[in-house]
Amino acid sequence: MNLSPLPAIMLEPLVRAALLEDLGRAGDVTTDAVVTPYHCVKTVLAARQRGIVAGLDLAMLAFRLISPDVEISLERPDGSSVEEGEVIASVVGPARAILTAERTALNFLCHLSGIATATASIVAAVREHPVKITCTRKTTPGLRAVEKYAVRAGGGANHRFGLDDAILIKDNHIAIAGGIRAAIKRARASAGHLVKIEVEVDTLTQLEEALTLAPDAVLLDNMSVDVLRQAVSMVAGRAITEASGRITASTAPAIAAAGIDLISIGWLTHSAPILDIGLDYRAP
């Protein structure tokens, strides 16, 4: 898989903040007390369960910010599938630095690999259909860019990154504006020619009304598979169709088979379980 590396200028503040949170006022008092200053070791990052790797840039940065003398050799780069026990990378260098950075590195790596693994499970479930699996803005504050990167590492695609990407008219917008027609008309009057407009609908009646104003995309929220089929037929290619609402690997195939263009899933970034990865010491 071709994944562009995340820019260090974006990652470094995240990793520095995480390290400072862990080091507190006095640093790693345990490691400093137990491990001699010049002791060097070889360790490996190893998968403890099957999954997809993501987040190695942040893990490597955690080690190297503590000591530039830490050397890391990647065996399984981001986007790779790993089996239980497989070595992802070797980490060699000063023992104090490696132990001090261990938890921060693993927190990022396990979390993002969990997102990539969850995404890959949905992508695999719908592989027979021409549908994209996308994430949402339901992300951990401060970690949106890296969590969305992890979705891409798992074979998914990204929805908008923020409120400034596109116009997405949701149910509360519609209620406050006084209806779908009013909301779309105001959005159309405000938007520049390059700004896409998507509108969320809950019923086929709302969809019919929305289509008269030619939105670029329609978000079909919490609809049954039968209703989704009718919705896709009504749209007839005039807009991008997106389905959302508690979608899992078991329900995604039927939704994809309804002819939907996109399936958006919030839990990929807000609730995906971690992928268990450990740092193991290798005795000389």
Side-chain angles (χ1 to χ4, degrees):
M1 175 179 296
N2 247 337
L3 278 174
S4 300
L6 293 165
I9 193 171
M10 179 184 72
L11 299 184
E12 188 167 328
L14 296 178
V15 179
R16 282 191 182 277
L19 288 169
L20 287 170
E21 180 180 55
D22 218 14
L23 290 167
R25 296 165 297 171
D28 185 354
V29 295
T30 305
T31 297
D32 290 349
V34 173
V35 178
T36 57
Y38 304 108
H39 190 70
C40 290
V41 294
K42 177 179 180 179
T43 61
V44 295
L45 292 166
R48 292 177 177 163
Q49 61 186 124
R50 184 178 187 181
I52 305 296
V53 178
L56 281 166
D57 284 350
L58 291 104
M60 291 189 294
L61 190 55
F63 291 115
R64 287 172 176 158
L65 284 174
I66 298 297
S67 172
D69 295 327
V70 175
E71 297 180 1
I72 302 168
S73 300
L74 299 183
E75 301 291 335
R76 303 296 291 162
D78 282 3
S80 301
S81 60
V82 289
E83 299 294 330
E84 181 180 351
E86 192 167 357
V87 171
I88 296 168
S90 63
V91 184
V92 180
R96 280 188 172 184
I98 291 173
L99 292 175
T100 295
E102 174 185 358
R103 178 43 51 199
T104 296
L106 287 175
N107 281 347
F108 281 119
L109 186 59
C110 294
H111 175 53
L112 297 184
S113 295
I115 291 172
T117 300
T119 303
S121 72
I122 307 290
V123 170
V126 299
R127 66 163 55 97
E128 295 179 2
H129 306 283
V131 64
K132 287 184 178 180
I133 302 301
T134 73
C135 51
T136 70
R137 286 171 43 246
K138 296 176 181 177
T139 54
T140 307
L143 297 184
R144 179 170 297 169
V146 295
E147 289 178 343
K148 283 181 171 286
Y149 166 84
V151 168
R152 299 197 304 275
N158 292 154
H159 210 285
R160 58 181 181 158
F161 271 73
L163 294 172
D164 59 344
D165 282 5
I167 292 176
L168 175 48
I169 303 168
K170 296 180 70 66
D171 53 357
N172 282 333
H173 296 111
I174 292 167
I176 292 168
I180 284 179
R181 182 174 296 276
I184 297 177
K185 281 187 173 181
R186 290 178 190 174
R188 185 75 68 198
S190 174
H193 67 286
L194 293 179
V195 178
K196 299 289 187 180
I197 296 176
E198 181 172 14
V199 60
E200 176 185 307
V201 298
D202 301 318
T203 67
L204 295 179
T205 301
Q206 286 183 320
L207 175 61
E208 185 175 22
E209 183 177 9
L211 289 173
T212 64
L213 294 164
D216 298 289
V218 288
L219 174 56
L220 308 169
D221 193 42
N222 283 301
M223 291 184 175
S224 69
V225 173
D226 287 342
V227 174
L228 284 173
R229 288 196 193 96
Q230 295 178 63
V232 169
S233 178
M234 287 173 61
V235 173
R238 290 177 288 167
I240 294 170
T241 54
E242 174 186 347
S244 70
R246 302 181 182 88
I247 298 169
T248 66
S250 60
T251 61
I255 292 169
I260 295 295
D261 297 309
L262 305 172
I263 294 176
S264 59
I265 304 174
W267 68 262
L268 292 177
T269 48
H270 72 63
S271 298
I274 67 159
L275 183 69
D276 193 3
I277 298 169
L279 182 77
D280 298 331
Y281 169 65
R282 293 296 166 91

